[in-house]
Amino acid sequence: MAMAIGMKLAGRAGGAAMATPPATIRSISSWWRNVEPAAKDPILGVTEAFLADRSPDKVNVGVGAYRDDNGKPVVLDCVREAERRIVGNQNMEYLPMGGSLKFIEETLKLAYGSESEFIKEKRIAAVQALSGTGACRLFADFQRRFRANSQIYIPVPTWSNHHNIWRDAQVPQRTFRYYHPESRGLDFSSLLEDVKNTPSGSFFLLHACAHNPTGVDPTEEQWREISNQFKVKNHFAFFDMAYQGFASGDPERDAKAIRIFLEDGHLIGCAQSYAKNMGLYGQRIGCLSILCEDELQAVAVKSQLQQIARPMYSNPPVHGALLVSTILGDPELKTLWLKEVKGMADRIIGMRTTLRERLEKLGSSISWEHITNQIGMFCFSGMTPEQVDRLTNEFHIYMTRNGRISMAGVTTGNVDYLAGAIHEVTKS
């Protein structure tokens, strides 16, 4: 009897499905008909093209990730040791919405100084973020929510994702002049002019060190002048610090711009990332901090940052925070990290010198002094999109069309080939 009833119900259900009006089917199938394929990311597209190339001579100097002199990804020894200590000793519970307190403590000391009065006075609102990108996005949303009529001034050029971040947070963008194409250096006079001429109380995005994509940083004296003009105009400086330690090999030196602004009494914001300087690219570990007037304000600001994070991802991941706090919180591991990050920086600096020497030895009529004047992972070569296309089509060398070379992809094994190809496409 039960089987008969079940068969009867199944028959009814099947009959109902078969009777669905064609118009309903058309309606369901057309929900996403208007969705077009997204444009390829210019950086990730370079990697895709490189992987598809079967040439044995191919070279990828487009990706922004460190490689050793054999062109291989690197996991630092300090990270391996931290992993060994962590394995089997930690649970998998949620972190608080603001992230690991130990991680935040160590991260703030790295940016603001181990003896920072602002840390002692608890004036810094800080939350763990999904690397530097997530930190920037949290701040952009915070800016839109609490300074709704503000806009962000972004340098020309900048990391392409900066525009995406503030656009999607619906914060209007303006630009300020930064790079001087003719000298392939800093356009300092134009930068100061733009800082002076923007409305008082404006928000500025600044690269703390190793400017991406140009590798062009202000000198210490120039940073002091920039800080002074910000004070005159009451501007807010938001620093994106993705390369602390990786730029010069010295984390203290690479934080100099931030320290100058702090000395001058600015209330700043800062995005930090451990992708480059610890090689934790896939762990997505970073921090957003905002210096406030007092502890009470810092508590309020942090609570709002957590509220913004809640519907985005609720809680940040735990493993990267454990790695960083283990390394920075242990004197032996921190010493090892400082040695290893200097080793990475020194290899990049050495490749800059070698590439410049090879180009000059080939008799190039172009000055390549900017290769060694610039700092960090990237060299803004000055090559045109057409010259970059020739590098790709004729020599199987891949980079973004703005001429940005990832120096991490340059090795003792390919530097001669790269120099020869660059010389060929830039000959007058």
Side-chain angles (χ1 to χ4, degrees):
M1 181 71 174
M3 184 178 294
I5 293 172
M7 291 176 65
K8 190 172 184 181
L9 289 173
R12 286 179 180 175
M18 291 175 64
T20 302
T24 304
I25 296 173
R26 283 197 299 272
S27 175
I28 293 172
S29 67
S30 66
W31 283 354
W32 312 119
R33 190 173 294 169
N34 65 328
V35 177
E36 298 290 338
K40 286 189 176 183
D41 183 281
I43 298 172
L44 300 182
V46 169
T47 300
E48 289 179 7
F50 169 79
L51 292 174
D53 191 334
R54 296 184 179 182
S55 171
D57 299 321
K58 65 181 182 179
V59 175
N60 186 1
V61 285
V63 66
Y66 183 75
R67 298 290 183 264
D68 65 16
D69 197 45
N70 295 313
K72 302 298 183 183
V74 172
V75 178
L76 301 183
D77 289 340
C78 63
V79 172
R80 288 298 191 208
E81 175 58 23
E83 285 186 318
R84 188 190 66 78
R85 297 183 187 184
I86 291 167
V87 170
N89 294 319
Q90 302 291 334
N91 60 46
M92 300 295 171
E93 293 294 303
Y94 288 123
L95 286 175
M97 280 191 293
S100 162
L101 295 180
K102 179 64 175 174
F103 163 78
I104 291 170
E105 176 189 350
E106 296 297 338
T107 297
L108 292 182
K109 286 192 289 188
L110 201 61
Y112 292 82
S114 58
E115 300 299 322
S116 169
E117 60 182 292
F118 308 116
I119 297 175
K120 294 175 183 177
E121 295 169 0
K122 300 181 179 180
R123 288 177 54 191
I124 306 173
V127 294
Q128 183 181 330
L130 303 183
S131 203
T133 302
C136 286
R137 179 57 194 265
L138 281 177
F139 181 81
D141 273 88
F142 180 77
Q143 179 186 348
R144 177 177 59 85
R145 185 171 294 190
F146 294 99
R147 296 300 293 263
N149 296 321
S150 68
Q151 50 199 7
I152 186 79
Y153 283 84
I154 295 178
V156 179
T158 193
W159 178 47
S160 59
N161 213 24
H162 282 147
H163 294 291
N164 301 331
I165 290 165
W166 269 268
R167 178 201 66 211
D168 282 7
Q170 299 178 24
V171 175
Q173 299 176 43
R174 299 292 183 270
T175 59
F176 66 94
R177 288 170 289 178
Y178 185 89
Y179 179 71
H180 191 260
E182 285 73 26
S183 67
R184 297 181 175 88
L186 183 67
D187 191 352
F188 186 58
S189 60
S190 296
L191 186 158
L192 283 184
E193 184 179 345
D194 288 347
V195 169
K196 293 175 183 177
N197 291 336
T198 52
S200 297
S202 294
F203 285 79
F204 277 75
L205 169 66
L206 302 174
H207 297 232
C209 60
H211 181 276
N212 179 4
T214 69
V216 174
D217 288 350
T219 64
E220 182 176 331
E221 292 72 22
Q222 288 171 333
W223 273 123
R224 293 191 183 280
E225 181 60 24
I226 293 167
S227 174
N228 179 62
Q229 290 302 325
F230 268 58
K231 201 167 187 178
V232 170
K233 295 288 293 186
N234 193 31
H235 292 325
F236 185 91
F238 180 74
F239 287 95
D240 187 358
M241 185 159 60
Y243 298 93
Q244 186 181 9
F246 190 94
S248 69
D250 180 0
E252 289 296 301
R253 177 180 172 184
D254 292 345
K256 192 63 180 178
I258 288 175
R259 306 288 173 80
I260 288 171
F261 271 68
L262 295 176
E263 290 168 10
D264 287 349
H266 294 279
L267 300 179
I268 67 166
C270 181
Q272 291 170 261
S273 166
Y274 290 96
K276 307 298 192 299
N277 59 10
M278 282 192 185
L280 300 178
Y281 303 96
Q283 297 298 338
R284 311 312 296 146
I285 180 66
C287 182
L288 168 64
S289 59
I290 299 174
L291 177 60
C292 302
E293 294 175 1
D294 52 39
E295 182 181 355
L296 191 63
Q297 188 180 85
V299 170
V301 170
K302 181 173 180 177
S303 72
Q304 293 293 345
L305 292 175
Q306 290 177 155
Q307 287 300 310
I308 293 170
R310 175 64 169 160
M312 281 188 179
Y313 53 83
S314 190
N315 313 74
V318 66
H319 191 65
L322 284 172
L323 289 172
V324 174
S325 58
T326 299
I327 292 167
L328 296 182
D330 181 274
E332 182 182 347
L333 284 183
K334 185 175 181 180
T335 299
L336 177 57
W337 171 64
L338 291 171
K339 177 183 177 182
E340 291 187 288
V341 75
K342 186 177 188 306
M344 291 191 290
D346 286 349
R347 193 187 87 74
I348 296 292
I349 293 168
M351 283 296 97
R352 287 182 178 276
T353 300
T354 303
L355 179 60
R356 177 184 170 182
E357 288 175 349
R358 295 295 191 274
L359 285 163
E360 290 173 345
K361 189 176 180 181
L362 288 167
S364 176
S365 60
I366 298 171
S367 171
W368 295 102
E369 184 180 3
H370 59 283
I371 295 178
T372 50
N373 287 343
Q374 296 169 8
I375 193 170
M377 182 169 286
F378 301 111
C379 166
F380 217 46
S381 67
M383 287 186 288
T384 66
E386 293 74 23
Q387 290 169 336
V388 172
D389 289 343
R390 282 193 63 196
L391 283 177
T392 301
N393 297 330
E394 298 177 28
F395 298 95
H396 306 275
I397 295 172
Y398 292 83
M399 67 180 72
T400 51
R401 294 188 78 238
N402 61 4
R404 187 193 77 168
I405 298 173
S406 174
M407 294 304 301
V410 184
T411 69
T412 53
N414 65 29
V415 66
D416 287 332
Y417 180 71
L418 177 64
I422 291 173
H423 177 61
E424 185 62 32
V425 303
T426 56
K427 285 193 301 187
S428 56

